Amino acid sequence: MSEIREYFELPDGFLEATPETLHQCVPGPALIHLAGQREPAVAVVLLLHGNEPVGLQAVQTLLRHYTGRPLPRALTLVIGNPQAAALNQRHLDDQPDFNRIWPGTEQGGSQEAETFAELCRRLEARGLFAAIDLHNNTGRNPHYACINRLDTPFLNLAALFGRTVVYFTRPCGVASMALARIAPAVTLECGHPGDTAGVDHAREMIDAVLHLDHFSDKPPRSGAIEIFHTVAQVRVRPGLQAGLDAHNDVRLEPDLDRLNFQLLAAGSQLVRVRADAEDPLIAIAEDGSEVTREYLERFGQEIRLRRPAMPSMLTLDSRVIAQDCLCYLMEPLNL
Ligand SMILES: [Zn+2]
């Protein structure tokens, strides 16, 4: 049984809604189709993570800007998790992560996974010009675009957002990976929740894509973008605690997130760990295999990088670390 609502105009109250109140006009996962001067539509995915308001805010600003004027291209809003947004949570405790259960997921079988499979079928039937999934993150990170394919249109779409592009094929089940089967798709990481520069940047990106006639088949000029390939996700072993205080199994330095998007030499310290904590960090490669010993080594109470790598998404937020991961490790990619 599908739980998707489909609208063909903006529901009343959408433009005034906050992430906390959006559920009053759009109670769950939904598609909102808005007409424009060209077809097919650009899909903009928002609030897949309920505590990441940038997508809702960018779309509201954009639509106010077009009040009384036609959109340059049709726009389909994909509404993720208003229930979690009402409580400012990534997802509710009894829900899966809504950006891990799209087609291709390894966490299938849930009712939510079926909802997003049905949502993809409806988008595929209508066709898309491009898909943009909007996120905030914690920790110090630049704004950056993520792609899951290296085809030229994907590179050109990502280049519209900025220089920094991350290519990853894990975790599976993310929106941009599922939507890549329909059109060039990108995940945009737009800085901290509430960062107005991130909202402006996202709105400018959506507007730019709405104005495009087609994607160039020429790749971005040399040096226009820097692509980093995610080689591992670093998780804290389940059951162990990570945090700033000394009693934690994994101890985080208060400025740990300054290392994000810095290329670190082999031997650089990532975290300190309690002496009796056994294998406290686990590194998982893109193919799902464990690669802890390839990327990390223990030196007394330190966990160090075994080879040069660039972390991203390092965060000091214990809840994010427990629900998702400590960080990703990346390497520069030369096409
Ligand atoms: Zn997110």
Side-chain angles (χ1 to χ4, degrees):
M1 259 268 287
S2 160
E3 290 275 319
I4 309 163
R5 291 161 188 84
E6 206 160 4
Y7 304 84
F8 295 87
E9 57 183 11
L10 268 191
D12 283 341
F14 182 88
L15 286 182
E16 296 74 36
T18 64
E20 288 76 17
T21 65
L22 181 67
H23 69 101
Q24 294 165 9
C25 60
V26 183
L31 293 171
I32 304 175
H33 305 289
L34 304 175
Q37 290 175 311
R38 288 182 233 201
E39 296 272 347
V42 174
V44 173
V45 187
L46 56 98
L47 285 173
L48 277 186
H49 292 146
N51 55 355
E52 300 176 15
V54 61
L56 177 65
Q57 293 162 346
V59 157
Q60 288 174 327
T61 317
L62 177 98
L63 292 176
R64 278 192 211 110
H65 178 73
Y66 279 102
T67 304
R69 289 193 291 146
L71 290 165
R73 179 179 285 280
L75 176 64
T76 291
L77 305 178
V78 181
I79 312 297
N81 198 342
Q83 287 184 303
L87 299 175
N88 192 29
Q89 291 183 14
R90 183 179 175 93
H91 59 82
L92 302 180
D93 286 339
D94 61 355
Q95 290 175 328
D97 185 322
F98 276 24
N99 202 26
R100 298 289 182 273
I101 54 168
W102 289 61
T105 182
E106 290 166 334
Q107 303 172 28
S110 64
Q111 198 218 304
E112 290 90 347
E114 181 44 44
T115 296
F116 283 98
E118 171 60 21
L119 191 146
C120 280
R121 285 193 286 272
R122 295 193 195 182
L123 290 175
E124 196 162 10
R126 297 174 65 92
L128 286 178
F129 179 71
I132 303 169
D133 180 22
L134 295 167
H135 290 258
N136 292 111
N137 53 55
T138 57
R140 267 175 272 186
N141 291 288
H143 296 170
Y144 62 95
C146 300
I147 52 177
N148 314 108
R149 293 192 189 185
L150 292 168
D151 310 61
T152 300
F154 289 71
L155 298 178
N156 283 321
L157 177 61
L160 286 172
F161 191 61
R163 282 185 56 75
T164 308
V165 178
V166 171
Y167 167 67
F168 73 91
T169 56
R170 288 268 162 164
C172 307
V174 303
S176 57
M177 206 177 291
L179 296 172
R181 294 190 303 186
I182 310 175
V186 71
T187 303
L188 302 183
E189 293 288 349
C190 305
H192 290 192
D195 170 11
T196 52
V199 175
D200 291 343
H201 196 179
R203 175 187 46 78
E204 287 163 14
M205 168 77 172
I206 300 166
D207 208 8
V209 180
L210 286 173
H211 278 93
L212 273 189
D213 176 68
H214 64 281
F215 286 100
S216 167
D217 52 10
K218 292 199 191 77
R221 66 184 163 72
S222 166
I225 55 174
E226 285 184 297
I227 308 176
F228 303 98
H229 178 203
T230 303
V231 290
Q233 185 193 45
V234 180
R235 297 183 201 154
V236 174
R237 185 171 293 283
L240 298 188
Q241 295 290 329
L244 291 165
D245 299 334
H247 70 266
N248 285 292
D249 305 291
V250 175
R251 298 168 203 165
L252 311 174
E253 295 294 325
D255 59 350
L256 179 68
D257 55 357
R258 81 185 187 286
L259 301 179
N260 282 332
F261 285 86
Q262 308 292 324
L263 188 55
L264 305 179
S268 302
Q269 178 191 312
L270 214 49
V271 293
R272 294 179 65 79
V273 296
R274 235 183 40 208
D276 59 348
E278 246 180 83
D279 293 331
L281 297 187
I282 314 165
I284 310 288
E286 294 260 275
D287 65 2
S289 60
E290 189 182 331
V291 288
T292 310
R293 279 174 179 73
E294 281 177 52
Y295 290 96
L296 303 174
E297 62 188 356
R298 184 157 180 166
F299 231 83
Q301 281 180 254
E302 288 182 27
I303 303 283
R304 298 180 180 176
L305 288 179
R306 200 182 169 91
R307 52 206 263 183
M310 186 184 285
S312 69
M313 303 278 262
L314 268 170
T315 176
L316 302 170
D317 187 326
S318 302
R319 189 176 166 94
V320 173
I321 294 170
Q323 282 192 337
D324 191 23
C325 64
L326 174 65
C327 67
Y328 293 89
L329 295 177
M330 308 186 293
E331 292 174 351
L333 183 76
N334 293 311
L335 287 183

